[in-house]
Structures are given as C-alpha cells and as structure tokens.
Amino acid sequence: MSKMIDLSKEADEFLKKIEELSGEKITSCIQCGICSGSCPMINEMDLTPAQIMLMTLLGQKEELLKSKSIWICASCYTCTVRCPRELDLSKVAEALRQVKLRLSIDRIDINKMDKADLEELPPIALVSAFRKFTG
Amino acid sequence: MKIPYYPGCTLKTKAKNFERSSIAVAEMLGVELVELPKWNCCGVVHSLTSDDLIHHLAPIRNLVRVQEMNEEKLVEDEFRLVTLCSMCYNTLKRSNLRFIENYEEREKINSIMEREEDYKGNVKVVHFLEILRDIGYDKISDKIKKPLDKLKIAVYYGCNLLRPKEVGIDDPENPDILETLFESLGAEVTLFPYKKMCCGSYQTVLDKESVADLTYNILSNAKEHHAEIVVTSCPLCAFNLDNRQEIVRSKHSEFKAIPVVYFSQLMALAFGLNIEICGFDSNYISALPLLKKKGYLKNK
Amino acid sequence: MRIGVYVCHCGGNISEVVNIDEVLNSLKNEHDVAFVKDHEHLCSKEGQEIIFNDIQEYKLDKITIAACSPQFQGPTFKTLMERAGLSPYLMEMANIREQSAWVHYDDHKKATDKAKELTKMAIAKVRYNEPLSKYSIDIGKRTLIIGAGIAGIQAALDLADSGIKVYLVEKDPSIGGHMAQLSRTFPTEDCSACILSPKMADVPENPNIELLTYGEIKDVSGYLGNFHITVNRKPTYVDAEKCTACGDCADVCPVELLNEYDGNLATRKAIYLPTKIAVPHSYVLDTEHCLGLNPLACGKCQEVCKADAINYDLYEEEIEFDVDTIIVATGFELFDAKEKPEYGFGKFKNVIDGMQMERIIVSSAEGNPLKDIGKKIAYIQCIGSRDKQIGRPYCSRICCMYAIKQANLLKKGMPDRDIYIFYIDIRAFGKGFEEYYNTAQENGVKFIRGKVAELMENPDTGKIIVKAEDTLNRQMIETEFDTVVLSVGIGPSKTTENISNMLKLARSSDGFLQEAHPKFKPVDTLVPGIFLAGTIQGPKDIPDTVSQASGSAARAIRLMNQGEYFFDPLLAFVDEEKCDGCGLCVDHCPYNAISMAGKTAEVNTAFCSGCGSCISYCPKDALDLHLYTNKQLLEQIKEAVINKGDEPRVLVFADDMTAYRLADNVGNAKGIYSPYSRIIKVPSSCRVTPKLLLQAFHYGADSVLILGTETKSSPYPHCQEEIERSVKIVHNILKENEISDKRLFNTTIVTVMIKKFSGIINTYTDLAKTLGPIPLEKREKLLKDLGKKIFGGSHE
C-alpha cells in the first residue's frame, strides 16, 4: 500500500526551518534531477538528492532525518554548480544534518574507531569528518 | 617575492613531502613562501548553515595574521595568502568572501575576536597553482632540467579547487590549469573525464569501502585513457586515491596499482631537484618504479 | 479657476480600504475646487457622462480624478476632455488605487490619509496645467524592416501588399533565416523549405519591396515619420541578374570550408550558393576565405563563368534612405552548447545539437545523410534554457516540440530506432501540440523525466554515456547511446545589442527586446514608430512569429495611414525673458535639440525627447518642461511634505518608464510598503534638478529617493550620468549644512523588482525615522544662495 503524506502545519514548519538554516529556497526546485545525476555518492544513497529536496518541501522530517543520504553527501558541490535554479543542495544536506547534530546526536565516536585507522588517516580527514558528523 | 603561506594540518604531518617539494619549487621560481608565524586549523570544511558564524572564526583569524605580517614587515605590502591544500584554500576563501561581502557579519565576527585586531577584509586567498599561473608557464618551462615528456599524466582536480563557482580557480566544468602546467613541464597529459569527480572526501573516515569504490572508478577511468601516473593538488584526494588502492586491490584482483602524487613532487622532479625533496618514498603507492623505468632516476 | 474633483470607488477596489467620504470632506474646501463628487466606476459610460455634463453645466476648466493609475484610464479621461472641448492636458489623476488602497490595505486610516494627500497633490499640480495641444508630425508610407527571416518576410509582404514602400535589409546573402534550414515544421510536418520558398520568391517580385541582402544597418537617426537610415552593403562579387546558379565556379574553387548552413557537418567552397532555395538565387563569393579577389592569386571562378557574372572590382556600398516606421525582425541565435562543457559538444563527435539534427534529417531524406546517427538516440532538453547557471532562466518554447518532431521523423524513417527524450517538463502548449506529443508516444518514443547531468564518451567506440536520474522512478540511468542530441534553446541574435543601442530600444532582463506593453502593445516598442516582429521579442515558434509579424505590419500601417501622428507635448521650452543666452543648455542636450536663436536659446521640438536633463543646467530657471514644469513639481512637493505633522515623509521621484510602472506593479501584486512615502511622477530621473531636491528638503522631506531606468534599457541613456551629477551637488550641499547625505538616494530598478521596491521605500522610511526631521534652521539655510551653491560663482 502506498504511504500517505500529511501536508500538516508541522510539515510546513519543518520546511521553513530547513530553508532558514540552509538559506536556500527549497520551493524553487523544479525536480529536474540533475543533482542526482551529478552526485558521485549516488550509489550509496537511499534517497536521491532531488528526492531530498521534494521531501523537504513536503516536510517529511522523520524519513529525512533517518535517511543515510544526508550523511553520505561529501559536500563536493557538483550539484551546486549544475542546479538550473542555482540552489545549493550541499547547504540543504548540512541543514538536515544539523537538525540532528544540534540534538547532540553525533554520527561518529572517536573512542569506537579502529586504532589502525586513526593511525593511518591524515588529520585533514579526521578534522573534516568530526566537523561534519559531530554537533 | 615573499608571500604569506598557510600550511594547514596535513602538510605538517602526514604529507610533509608535499610541503617540502612545493617550497623548493617556489624557491626555484623566486618565490619565498613565508609561513604565518602563528596559525590555527582552518576547520577544513566550510560551514554551510546560515546561522553558524562561530566556525568562520578560525579561517578569519588566519586572515588577520596576514594583516599582522604586513604590519610587522615580515612581508611587504603582500595581502595574498597562499595555500597548498585545496581544502584549506576552499575554506579560507569562502569565509573570506562571505565576510568581505557582508559588512554586518564581519563586524559581528570582529566583535567575537578579543585578542585579535579587526579583520579589514583586504586579504586575498590564493592557491599555489594560481601563483604558478601568474608567474607564467614560460618561466616555469625555463627551469626544466628533466622534461616530463616520458610520462603520461592524468591530472585530477577533485572538488575544492573548482567548486562552488565563486571560489573555483578555473571553469568548474572544464578546467585546464593543471593540464597547462604539466604540458609546460613537457608531459603528455591524457584525457581524464573523471578529473573533477569527487573522491569521497571525509567519507573515508566512516565509509572507506565506498571511497575505495570511487577510487576504483576514478583511477580506472584514468587508466582507460592510458595514464601512468595521477597528479593531484589536495592532500585528502591524495590520501584517498593513493591509500585506498589497498582496498581496491583486495576487491578487484585485476586492478594494477597506479601512483598518485602531488603536483609539486613532479614539478620538483622536472626542475632537477634532489630526489629526497621530491619525497616519492612517502606515497603509499610508490612512483619510483615507474620513474626508474622511464629513466628519471638514472643519475642517482 | 474651477476645478472639478472626482473620487472613484473602483467597484470596491478603492472604497473597501479608503474611506471615500473622509476624502471628499477633506477636499471640498480646497482652494479653486468647484465641487467634489464620487462614483462607483468613473471610467464607465455613466461615470464619463457625469464628468462630461458637469464640464458643460458648471463651466469647469480643470479636472482632477482620484482613481487608478493614469497608465490605465488616463487615455480614457484625456479623450473625454477633448470631447468636452477642453485640452486633454487640463486633467490630472491621483493614483489612489495602486499607490494607496492596494498597498496599504493593512491600515485603512493611513491609506485614507494618503489618498487625501495624493489627491491634493494632483489638485496642486492641475492648478498650473496649461491648455496645451497635442503636437503632430507628418508621416508617410515607408518602412524599414531589419532582418529577412520568416518574420521579416511576412511583415514585408503584408506591408508591400498594402501599398507601403518596404526596405528589407538582411545581413546574410540570402533571405529565409533559420526556417530555411529546417526539415519539417511541427506539428503538421510540412516541409519547411517547400512552404517557405514561394514566400521567399515573392519578395524580389514585389515592386514595393527593395531587398538589400548582405546589408548591415550602419546608422539610424531621426524619429517617427522621418527616420534616416544608412546601410552598408557588402558586394557578393557575383551579379545576381546574370548568375544562372550552374555551380561551375564552385567546382573549380580550390577553397573548401565547413558549411554553417549544414551545422558544420558538410563543406562548401569559398564561392557558394547559400542554400538551395536562396533568394537572390545566385552564388556568392566569401571574401574572408577566397584566396584573393585577383586573377593573379587564383581567378579560377571568373575564368570558368560562362555567364560572365563574376566581377572582382566591386566595393562595399553605402546606401541612404528615409523611412517613416521601422520593424525589427533580427531573430534569434541558437545557444552554443559549448557553454555547457559537461555535455562535450564540439568534443564528442556523436553529440550534436538540434539544428545539426535538422540538417541530418533533410540530407537523409535526400538520400545523402550528413552523418550516421545509429539507432539508439537520446535527446537532452533544456540545454541553454531554464538554467540560471548561464543566465538563461527562461523557457525557449520551441525545443520540446522540435525534439518531438525530430523523434517522430526519425521513427518514421526507421521504426526500430530506439529514441529517448530526457525532459524536465514537456511544454506542448500550442494548437495541435499535445496531440503531436501523443503521436510521438504512440510511435514508441520514450520520455524520461530527468535532466541529464553529464555525458561521457566511450574512448573505444565513441558512443556516448548518458547519466541521469529518472525522477519519477527515483532510479539512476547510465546508458550508452549512438547519438545524443542537445535540444539547445534560443537567445536574441548577436546583432541585438547594436540594434538596441542604435534604435534606443529597451531590452528585457533575458536580453530580448522589450515590447511596450506585454498584453496590449505586444509588437510596439516604447519608441514611437518602431515595432518588433518574431523571436527578437522572445522565443516563439513559426505560427506565432508569423502572426506577430503580420501584427507589427498592421500596427505600422495603422500609424502610417493616419498621415500624421500626435504626441503629448512633452517638450522643453525656453522663457525668453529669463534666458540670458549663456548657452550652457546647448552643450548639454544629447539630442542637439537646443540652439541659440539670437540672444536666447531655442528648443527644436522635432529633436527634443522630453527628458528634461537640460533644466538642471540653466542657472536662470529659464528652461522648463511642459507637463512637468518646475512650478508643478514644486507644488506637488509642497503638498506632499508640508502637512506631514509628526510623520516621516519619504519623497519618491519615480520615472515614467520604469519606477512609476513598478509602483503600479507593486500595487497589482498587493505588496505592502510604508504609507509615509509619496510618489511624484517625472518623465525621467534627470528631470529632477538640484534645486527641486533642495526645495524638497527645505519644505520638510525627511528623505528623497530618485528611482529610474537602467541605462541599458533607458530611452535616455545619458540620464543616470546627469542625475548622479545633480545628486552629487546636493549631497555636498547637504553635508555643508550638516545634514546626512544618506537622506538622498538615486538608483535604477526594473519593473519586476517588486520586493526591492518595497524594500527601498521601507529602508528609507526607517532611515527617516532614525535620523528624525531636519531642524528648521538647517532647512531654512538650504535655499540661500542657491545659484552659487549649484552653479558656482560665475552666474551670480
């Protein structure tokens, strides 16, 4: 059975919140999908970038915040330079991550990381990962 | 010519060879990269949310250091800040642009910084590749001792040097600054359609498997176009494309390793600098066998 | 003086916000006002009759109407004045709908206060209106058409058939334009060349058309009824009368180059027939590539020509003539897909654009295909359209349909071809278009909703790898195709910049030429006597182009058939008693409309454009502008600021072409802005003089805005420079008097900047509030020694 979407006040509030955090006008998206086609991480994603835009517009908070995609985004800006509406999806993904991170729900825990990995990884990788994955 | 230089974390730790070779190459071209006397981590990634000012403090503080260097006459009326790392470049430059354009936010940032003098918005963040472009490829060609004409090179841009548009050092869809540089060094630069595809960046920490998949795709694409060696300008791309070949090889038995080096390493080689300065032995996949085969190491 | 004042309810549009009774009460005791009346719809027949009868019965000599914007019903009431035997210029309108009811509906009291004041401002102005007459110029029956694509051809034939003398100038050696390149036309699939060539052939046959191919407009001067045109005509070195188009010359020509007409997929010689259906039907010598117009260098073509048609001793000619009207039909330019490098156009040999596919289809039908396109074909829509990244946010309107047409034709030619169209939205809006789209679906063309992100070339096979999201299915596609067709959009032709500068035509933000009114004057321009036809006004298909061309011809005929043309007397004039003959104005008129007649200056009304910039240069107040005199503007200013009480007052000088219309648009959009603003209409920013600005501050304005038209779109390109000069003078005087120069701000806007307009007004209201009123003693000083302050010592 297909899922019902409730176009509730809360849904609209969530959209407004993401628009404010990201500074992007999500309702301008024309769903052309060029972002998804450009995304280097697309094979790892459960929601495509264009889908994230539409779901944000519809305020589907729960599905978005539990999606893998928002964490998979590598902020490579390929979609940013191609979006025909000049929307910056990397900012939208960051805003969605921040909603979660600001509740102190971190994505990464240094104490649980593999020792050998920590030895091997350059600081540039560790610092950026901590910046992206911790609140 | 003395230019303030921001090294960033990785060139001081895991990738000393990149810094060493760059400084030596610069010197050959009459440029002294003067390290900021005091610097802090730039944060590596640009903070993307609209309400988050605090993460821009780190980049801006480094820009204030450039003002100080000028005041203390460590450099002479030189407000360019050079980076070698694409990520530092991107982060510093984007913050800089944001605060140059937005007076109110700059005032806010200035009011947060207590010990620092105010940032006046007059620093220009540049990548070393831009300095090389300004010096002129003719002058670079003049310094060649060992032309790279025996090498088929794929140049890899990654993301942070090109995107977003406002900070990119070249056309984000059709860059050629690295091609031009390496052609001026005599190399045959191969076609490389994946040259601006992301390597996975910081995903390498949590998800090295998918970064290895990207590494496999990118390097296979380079090899399909007959590249023998890949050149990059970002220490994180360098790490991913180089070190993640270990996983690639375990997954794809047919995959033959390909060396991935920093642009300055090959420049140093072309300029005839000491092989230690090139630092090829610090890369995960060594370029030395290839270079030996091509006759670049005969004199050693 | 007896002024009749009428306040309109506009069927509730005004009366639901503005308290009409209060407005009426506030006006009835105004000086010179005979009476005030209100009506539900003043523009209705009944409303007009009331005014008409009142004029007769009460011997009114002037009228003020508080209603909508004069842009809407102004002409109606002007005609009414004439009918009633009064000068149409003895009527003023107060715009209480767009400037009050529609923008202050959140505060009925403030809206009512503003409506009162706006009406008083109009009364203050009308007191000084003079019984001017329209002025007229003679107009003959000659038209210049620039561009001989299908739009120019259609307009030329319509005009010529109506007895108008037409000069048809085409930059290429043959007429026909892009349509001559096309295979078939959508949705009917007529052969494009077959339906076009009879029309092309009619052009040189028509005795009323003088065809000037290979010609370039070098200069245009003058005005409606008296345009003077200079055309540079390049020689083709082949006498079209003698040429039999046998092709012997091309056979021996040693120079071979890519043929643009065939999308660079085929070659031609340096001497060539532009198209098979070329008119004039003659070979042309391309001097850029010819080895040299000299028998010593080559001379092979001349030797072989049996008709003796080739002559190397020809030179560029300059042709001059006069016309009464001009139609601009310079058409479009295809988007150059190289600007989107991610699609590899020009790099990958199997990536082609839509026009190349047209040529491939034509050549295949002729049995000699220009390129093997294989069986599996992808179309990518919106290349160079709907894309802000390259500054082309608009839809090109033709690409969906031409892709569908090509797909249908390709399927017809070879039904087992596998064709995919990657689209964002299919826009099949025209007659028979949706059905034609259906036909494509029935033919098995597959439509995938998603914009292709990038293309890669398989280095071994040359096949093209397409990467896209199927956005309806949320799955990724990565597939190889034999050929990828980029459905490129269209932009204004390259000559547009030059033409718009020469003819002083405005361009819209998309770069196309701007029509006078999007609904009611779609083929007129703001320059009287100049019309637009075809894609130069915006993307359109062939039927729309042809209708518009016929429309512009009809509009031109309508003008020319009247024999004379009436203008509002928006003209500068000289008060001979005040003029001391200093001649400053003579040097500063960009239209050379002012000269010295004996000891005083004189305005040549034929050249005066009514910008008013000369007035700022007159140290003696001897120059002035009809319809917007110094006295009229001053009285409006005084009325707007003197009774402000504790309220802040932002005075806005809005130019007629853009800012005033923008204010109307803001009204239409129900955009709220500060009710403390008062708009005064001026013909152009540069009509505002330093003196008027200082008077505004003197009488109590807290901040003053001047809103005008961007230079590139303005009929007065010198205007911004002039007003900036004036603003600088006033800024200095303000600073000398310790008044913040932030209070005066000049800027340009465009008519769509609805939010920006409100933003500016609100910002300057806030500023006025923050800074507070200017103390009286400072204001008093502002008008002292004004001449010295503005003009320096020499004129005192």
Side-chain angles (χ1 to χ4, degrees):
Chain A
M1 209 185 82
S2 75
K3 191 179 171 293
M4 295 287 282
I5 296 173
D6 184 9
L7 303 177
S8 61
K9 193 166 157 249
E10 289 71 30
D12 187 51
E13 276 162 7
F14 184 70
L15 164 68
K16 297 270 163 58
K17 180 173 183 177
I18 299 303
E19 285 194 335
E20 198 189 319
L21 264 179
S22 65
E24 297 298 305
K25 196 72 204 155
I26 286 157
T27 47
S28 290
C29 172
I30 54 172
Q31 283 295 307
C32 71
I34 204 166
C35 44
S36 314
S38 303
C39 183
M41 303 302 287
I42 194 74
N43 293 337
E44 311 296 326
M45 288 191 170
D46 48 359
L47 301 175
T48 71
Q51 205 173 358
I52 289 175
M53 293 298 278
L54 185 58
M55 289 174 77
T56 308
L57 182 141
L58 296 170
Q60 291 176 266
K61 181 177 174 181
E62 231 169 276
E63 292 85 339
L64 284 163
L65 295 187
K66 69 173 188 235
S67 87
K68 199 177 150 200
S69 293
I70 60 172
W71 304 102
I72 290 291
C73 168
S75 307
C76 75
Y77 313 118
T78 312
C79 50
T80 311
V81 298
R82 289 196 180 147
C83 173
R85 286 296 170 95
E86 288 187 328
L87 293 167
D88 191 342
L89 277 78
S90 61
K91 288 186 177 168
V92 177
E94 182 112 326
L96 290 165
R97 287 190 294 267
Q98 284 293 324
V99 170
K100 203 120 186 210
L101 295 174
R102 287 181 190 187
L103 299 169
S104 290
I105 307 171
D106 287 350
R107 186 80 177 171
I108 193 169
D109 183 351
I110 195 162
N111 297 316
K112 290 184 188 148
M113 282 185 63
D114 186 273
K115 267 265 164 60
D117 281 351
L118 279 175
E119 285 285 300
E120 187 197 17
L121 285 164
I124 193 170
L126 288 168
V127 176
S128 47
F130 281 103
R131 282 286 304 277
K132 290 285 179 182
F133 300 142
T134 61
Chain B
M1 182 168 54
K2 285 180 169 185
I3 310 181
Y5 156 61
Y6 176 82
C9 55
T10 302
L11 295 188
K12 287 291 180 193
T13 52
K14 295 269 180 182
K16 287 186 187 132
N17 50 339
F18 299 175
E19 182 186 47
R20 208 184 313 129
S21 51
S22 300
I23 288 174
V25 162
E27 215 169 283
M28 290 276 293
L29 294 165
V31 176
E32 189 189 335
L33 300 179
V34 189
E35 188 173 322
L36 299 185
K38 225 169 32 169
W39 55 268
N40 53 269
C41 172
C42 65
V44 188
V45 285
H46 179 76
S47 181
L48 292 166
T49 40
S50 56
D51 62 348
D52 176 28
L53 273 190
I54 202 70
H55 281 107
H56 297 289
L57 195 59
I60 296 297
R61 282 182 57 176
N62 288 313
L63 303 181
V64 172
R65 304 289 170 238
V66 178
Q67 288 176 187
E68 290 170 358
M69 280 178 84
N70 276 280
E71 281 156 24
E72 289 158 23
K73 301 277 178 231
L74 294 173
V75 290
E76 207 167 311
D77 200 21
E78 179 57 83
F79 287 90
R80 285 179 296 179
L81 174 62
V82 182
T83 67
L84 289 167
C85 160
S86 300
M87 290 190 89
C88 300
Y89 164 76
N90 192 290
T91 305
L92 292 169
K93 186 162 179 183
R94 283 189 89 175
S95 289
N96 192 27
L97 288 182
R98 176 166 173 168
F99 293 99
I100 285 177
E101 279 162 17
N102 194 324
Y103 176 79
E104 258 173 51
E105 284 192 344
R106 192 161 89 223
E107 291 297 286
K108 230 178 250 174
I109 277 274
N110 280 335
S111 70
I112 302 172
M113 290 189 295
E114 275 194 7
R115 278 175 300 138
E116 275 78 16
E117 58 174 279
D118 281 359
Y119 177 52
K120 299 191 187 84
N122 52 355
V123 174
K124 192 175 170 212
V125 178
V126 295
H127 193 278
F128 186 51
L129 287 169
E130 290 171 285
I131 299 287
L132 294 174
R133 178 166 60 190
D134 292 347
I135 287 172
Y137 298 117
D138 293 349
K139 289 204 181 116
I140 292 172
S141 297
D142 289 346
K143 301 284 176 198
I144 299 175
K145 298 272 166 53
K146 294 179 191 169
L148 302 180
D149 55 357
K150 286 171 241 162
L151 292 175
K152 290 183 181 153
I153 298 178
V155 292
Y156 178 77
Y157 289 87
C159 311
N160 287 288
L161 210 50
L162 299 176
R163 298 184 291 263
K165 249 188 233 168
E166 61 271 23
V167 297
I169 67 169
D170 208 341
D171 184 322
E173 296 288 1
N174 197 22
D176 65 2
I177 185 168
L178 279 168
E179 277 93 336
T180 318
L181 173 63
F182 278 91
E183 276 162 12
S184 76
L185 295 170
E188 181 190 332
V189 183
T190 66
L191 264 181
F192 185 17
Y194 283 17
K195 67 183 177 184
K196 53 198 167 71
M197 186 193 257
C198 178
C199 67
S201 190
Y202 47 78
Q203 298 293 350
T204 203
V205 177
L206 280 184
D207 191 359
K208 50 187 165 183
E209 296 292 323
S210 56
V211 170
D213 289 347
L214 288 169
T215 297
Y216 175 67
N217 290 341
I218 292 165
L219 295 180
S220 299
N221 185 262
K223 288 197 282 183
E224 275 164 30
H225 289 85
H226 314 294
E228 298 162 327
I229 185 164
V230 177
V231 166
T232 169
S233 66
C234 166
L236 186 49
C237 301
F239 172 81
N240 282 343
L241 297 182
D242 188 6
N243 295 51
R244 291 296 173 236
Q245 287 188 54
E246 185 188 356
I247 304 175
V248 172
R249 277 194 291 187
S250 69
K251 276 181 157 176
H252 306 271
S253 55
E254 88 293 347
F255 183 88
K256 284 212 184 76
I258 178 168
V260 177
V261 297
Y262 221 53
F263 68 98
S264 55
Q265 293 182 282
L266 277 188
M267 281 190 83
L269 179 78
F271 283 2
L273 292 166
N274 191 317
I275 197 74
E276 270 79 52
I277 287 177
C278 302
F280 290 114
D281 43 5
S282 308
N283 300 67
Y284 178 74
I285 305 289
S286 176
L288 291 169
L290 172 75
L291 298 175
K292 198 170 275 172
K293 198 176 103 191
K294 298 282 177 175
Y296 283 102
L297 304 177
K298 252 184 250 161
N299 302 336
K300 202 190 164 188
Chain C
M1 193 183 302
R2 298 177 59 75
I3 305 173
V5 180
Y6 298 85
V7 182
C8 187
H9 293 227
C10 196
N13 273 316
I14 294 169
S15 54
E16 279 168 18
V17 176
V18 171
N19 184 329
I20 303 280
D21 286 338
E22 245 189 70
V23 176
L24 294 173
N25 279 331
S26 78
L27 298 172
K28 63 183 176 207
N29 296 326
E30 280 288 296
H31 185 53
D32 294 330
V33 169
F35 56 75
V36 287
K37 279 188 182 176
D38 62 323
H39 191 271
E40 195 67 17
H41 284 292
L42 278 171
C43 59
S44 66
K45 191 157 191 315
E46 188 196 54
Q48 290 193 47
E49 282 316 298
I50 291 172
I51 301 175
F52 181 87
N53 292 331
D54 286 350
I55 291 174
Q56 314 295 339
E57 196 173 325
Y58 300 104
K59 304 262 176 292
L60 299 175
D61 40 22
K62 290 181 180 179
I63 299 289
T64 295
I65 296 170
C68 57
S69 166
Q71 319 274 1
F72 290 94
Q73 295 302 344
T76 310
F77 293 122
K78 275 189 189 168
T79 312
L80 170 66
M81 294 291 285
E82 283 180 305
R83 201 152 55 82
L86 290 179
S87 158
Y89 304 105
L90 293 175
M91 184 274 305
E92 283 295 328
M93 290 183 76
N95 184 354
I96 62 168
R97 189 179 72 178
E98 280 80 353
Q99 287 181 18
S100 185
W102 280 355
V103 287
H104 309 309
Y105 54 87
D106 57 329
D107 189 337
H108 290 203
K109 177 163 184 326
K110 291 263 159 50
T112 304
D113 289 347
K114 187 170 168 185
K116 288 182 205 166
E117 216 165 279
L118 289 176
T119 314
K120 285 182 189 170
M121 284 164 69
I123 296 170
K125 186 180 181 194
V126 86
R127 277 197 192 103
Y128 295 92
N129 281 21
E130 286 182 65
L132 302 168
S133 316
K134 290 176 176 173
Y135 83 100
S136 73
I137 52 166
D138 290 337
I139 173 166
K141 295 185 174 179
R142 299 160 300 177
T143 302
L144 162 70
I145 299 178
I146 310 173
I150 182 56
I153 291 172
Q154 178 73 27
L157 292 172
D158 281 3
L159 285 164
D161 290 347
S162 314
I164 307 289
K165 168 80 185 170
V166 175
Y167 295 88
L168 180 57
V169 178
E170 166 57 49
K171 69 174 190 330
D172 287 341
S174 167
I175 63 172
H178 288 102
M179 191 177 167
Q181 284 178 281
L182 306 181
S183 57
R184 288 172 182 274
T185 59
F186 55 79
T188 46
E189 296 187 2
D190 307 277
C191 152
S192 184
C194 315
I195 56 172
L196 177 64
S197 57
K199 267 191 183 292
M200 287 168 65
D202 285 346
V203 170
E205 298 301 318
N206 196 309
N208 277 338
I209 299 178
E210 188 164 333
L211 177 59
L212 302 170
T213 46
Y214 230 13
E216 193 192 335
I217 306 289
K218 202 186 153 204
D219 189 47
V220 176
S221 58
Y223 43 87
L224 168 64
N226 191 18
F227 288 111
H228 187 72
I229 315 293
T230 312
V231 174
N232 266 6
R233 217 178 158 198
K234 284 185 274 185
T236 63
Y237 304 98
V238 183
D239 185 338
E241 302 285 318
K242 290 185 186 164
C243 176
T244 60
C246 68
D248 289 351
C249 51
D251 288 345
V252 296
C253 177
V255 183
E256 192 162 316
L257 47 126
L258 289 176
N259 191 355
E260 259 195 11
Y261 170 70
D262 276 328
N264 291 335
L265 292 170
T267 57
R268 64 162 168 87
K269 296 295 184 64
I271 190 162
Y272 67 106
L273 189 62
T275 75
K276 279 183 187 154
I277 56 168
V279 171
H281 202 65
S282 166
Y283 274 69
V284 183
L285 206 159
D286 162 5
T287 49
E288 202 185 316
H289 299 97
C290 174
L291 294 177
L293 297 161
N294 183 343
L296 291 175
C298 175
K300 287 201 173 87
C301 53
Q302 198 177 37
E303 264 167 44
V304 82
C305 181
K306 292 192 203 79
D308 200 18
I310 302 173
N311 178 3
Y312 297 146
D313 288 326
L314 290 175
Y315 301 93
E316 202 168 83
E317 293 179 82
E318 203 172 85
I319 302 169
E320 294 185 42
F321 52 89
D322 292 327
V323 294
D324 301 283
T325 54
I326 299 175
I327 294 177
V328 184
T330 46
F332 69 88
E333 209 83 50
L334 279 180
F335 175 68
D336 179 2
K338 289 198 190 92
E339 281 184 46
K340 299 289 286 181
E342 57 269 40
Y343 299 111
F345 182 71
K347 238 170 31 186
F348 305 155
K349 67 178 194 305
N350 291 322
V351 175
I352 59 174
D353 71 16
M355 188 57 93
Q356 288 179 320
M357 185 54 109
E358 290 292 327
R359 299 311 300 159
I360 291 167
I361 292 172
V362 174
S363 57
S364 306
E366 289 165 351
N368 191 15
L370 289 171
K371 186 179 183 331
D372 178 16
I373 51 169
K375 279 194 171 171
K376 195 169 171 192
I377 297 164
Y379 278 83
I380 309 181
Q381 300 307 110
C382 300
I383 302 292
S385 305
R386 303 182 72 191
D387 189 351
K388 284 187 176 179
Q389 297 277 359
I390 45 163
R392 289 174 181 245
Y394 57 89
C395 167
S396 292
R397 293 180 91 222
I398 58 168
C399 329
C400 284
M401 293 315 294
Y402 79 60
I404 288 171
K405 173 199 74 184
Q406 291 181 356
N408 274 333
L409 296 175
L410 290 170
K411 273 280 189 187
K412 229 177 234 179
M414 198 191 277
D416 67 339
R417 270 196 179 115
D418 199 8
I419 302 179
Y420 294 80
I421 295 183
F422 290 87
Y423 70 99
I424 308 176
D425 299 289
I426 291 290
R427 293 185 169 169
F429 55 90
K431 184 171 176 174
F433 288 10
E434 181 70 16
E435 296 90 320
Y436 193 55
Y437 168 31
N438 263 325
T439 310
Q441 293 177 302
E442 282 157 21
N443 284 340
V445 177
K446 294 163 199 160
F447 288 84
I448 298 180
R449 197 194 173 287
K451 181 154 182 179
V452 172
E454 61 188 319
L455 299 175
M456 300 272 172
E457 188 183 43
N458 181 324
D460 302 322
T461 61
K463 290 194 182 199
I464 304 298
I465 304 148
V466 165
K467 269 178 78 181
E469 177 182 25
D470 171 2
T471 59
L472 297 178
N473 202 25
R474 296 296 178 198
Q475 281 173 357
M476 305 309 296
I477 292 170
E478 198 169 331
T479 308
E480 277 194 357
F481 287 86
D482 297 325
T483 297
V484 171
V485 187
L486 305 178
S487 293
V488 287
I490 59 182
S493 59
K494 286 187 192 118
T495 52
T496 311
E497 176 143 22
N498 200 8
I499 293 280
S500 70
N501 288 340
M502 221 174 339
L503 301 178
K504 302 192 171 64
L505 299 177
R507 296 172 77 172
S508 39
S509 59
D510 52 16
F512 292 94
L513 294 185
Q514 176 84 56
E515 65 276 20
H517 188 281
K519 301 287 184 295
F520 301 125
K521 287 185 177 174
V523 299
D524 294 30
T525 66
L526 287 169
V527 182
I530 303 184
F531 303 91
L532 305 176
T535 47
I536 190 57
Q537 179 263 340
K540 50 182 68 66
D541 62 0
I542 295 168
D544 283 3
T545 296
V546 171
S547 338
Q548 207 194 29
S550 289
S552 64
R555 292 290 289 174
I557 292 168
R558 171 186 164 273
L559 253 185
M560 291 186 287
N561 268 353
Q562 294 167 12
E564 59 181 338
Y565 181 79
F566 295 95
F567 286 93
D568 280 341
L570 179 64
L571 298 166
F573 64 96
V574 178
D575 182 337
E576 285 167 22
E577 282 175 16
K578 287 185 188 163
C579 177
D580 68 355
C582 73
L584 267 177
C585 52
V586 177
D587 299 337
H588 285 104
C589 175
Y591 303 97
N592 297 323
I594 312 181
S595 53
M596 293 305 293
K599 284 189 173 162
T600 56
E602 184 182 65
V603 177
N604 180 349
T605 52
F607 290 109
C608 176
S609 73
C611 67
S613 69
C614 52
I615 301 168
S616 294
Y617 285 101
C618 183
K620 293 290 173 195
D621 280 344
L623 265 166
D624 213 336
L625 185 71
H626 284 308
L627 306 181
Y628 299 92
T629 62
N630 285 328
K631 184 70 181 161
Q632 287 173 315
L633 294 175
L634 176 61
E635 290 305 312
Q636 283 176 279
I637 291 170
K638 277 158 73 177
E639 201 63 64
V641 299
I642 279 176
N643 297 314
K644 63 171 185 165
D646 297 336
E647 291 180 359
R649 227 8 133 242
V650 180
L651 209 54
V652 185
F653 289 102
D655 82 327
D656 189 10
M657 180 181 174
T658 306
Y660 197 86
R661 283 159 208 263
L662 171 58
D664 284 351
N665 290 346
V666 176
N668 271 314
K670 306 283 189 292
I672 292 178
Y673 57 86
S674 159
Y676 301 122
S677 54
R678 297 291 179 266
I679 294 174
I680 294 178
K681 185 157 98 170
V682 284
S684 64
S685 302
C686 53
R687 167 62 190 93
V688 183
T689 61
K691 186 170 174 181
L692 281 168
L693 292 169
L694 290 167
Q695 284 170 328
F697 287 116
H698 169 80
Y699 286 109
D702 298 301
S703 58
V704 178
L705 298 175
I706 306 162
L707 302 180
T709 307
E710 290 178 348
T711 297
K712 70 176 161 76
S713 322
S714 175
Y716 312 121
H718 62 293
C719 196
Q720 278 310 310
E721 208 178 300
E722 295 292 349
I723 187 62
E724 275 160 22
R725 185 192 79 97
S726 298
V727 165
K728 213 170 172 186
I729 292 172
V730 177
H731 274 165
N732 284 334
I733 296 173
L734 290 177
K735 276 188 271 184
E736 278 165 22
N737 288 281
E738 290 169 345
I739 297 170
S740 166
D741 62 352
K742 281 185 189 166
R743 291 180 187 264
L744 171 62
F745 181 63
N746 168 56
T747 189
T748 60
I749 36 167
V750 299
T751 43
V752 292
M753 291 180 167
I754 287 175
K755 274 194 186 155
K756 185 166 181 190
F757 180 88
S758 304
I760 292 177
I761 302 270
N762 293 340
T763 306
Y764 280 85
T765 313
D766 290 345
L767 182 91
K769 283 184 197 160
T770 319
L771 294 175
I774 305 172
L776 187 63
E777 61 276 15
K778 284 188 186 176
R779 291 201 271 127
E780 300 266 273
K781 277 195 225 154
L782 279 179
L783 295 187
K784 279 204 187 118
D785 296 331
L786 204 56
K788 203 184 250 167
K789 282 179 191 156
I790 297 174
F791 295 100
S794 61
H795 276 279
E796 283 307 301

